[in-house]
Amino acid sequence: MRYKNQVGIIYGLRSSGYFDIRTLNGEKIHSSAKYQDLKVIERAKTLILERRNQRTFLHLKEDEISCAGL
């Protein structure tokens, strides 16, 4: 995507319909960009995966709140 002369990827979609745009190394370009301000440069043909050493267990309850229901 191109956002105001900067190239990035769509990192997230807000419930309001705005996009979180970041570079490939994770630097934030804009956290709430309108789709009218974005221009498609190339559509994704692959997935980007990140391997993390730390695990997050979603089934554990903390203060009687389960992360699995979020």
Side-chain angles (χ1 to χ4, degrees), residues 26-41:
E27 294 176 24
K28 191 178 290 188
I29 294 174
H30 198 280
S31 62
S32 192
K34 294 188 284 187
Y35 74 92
Q36 292 100 337
D37 296 334
L38 299 174
K39 175 146 178 62
V40 176
I41 297 173

Side-chain angles (χ1 to χ4, degrees), residues 10-68:
I10 295 177
Y11 191 77
L13 172 63
R14 308 271 182 253
S15 61
S16 61
Y18 289 75
F19 296 93
D20 185 2
I21 308 297
R22 298 190 186 192
T23 61
L24 281 176
N25 61 5
E27 294 176 24
K28 191 178 290 188
I29 294 174
H30 198 280
S31 62
S32 192
K34 294 188 284 187
Y35 74 92
Q36 292 100 337
D37 296 334
L38 299 174
K39 175 146 178 62
V40 176
I41 297 173
E42 183 177 341
R43 298 201 184 275
K45 296 178 181 103
T46 61
L47 294 175
I48 298 174
L49 300 177
E50 178 181 6
R51 183 178 297 248
R52 296 184 180 193
N53 292 330
Q54 181 181 354
R55 295 182 180 177
T56 304
F57 298 101
L58 297 178
H59 65 276
L60 295 178
K61 288 189 175 184
E62 194 172 301
D63 296 329
E64 297 303 317
I65 299 172
S66 173
C67 295

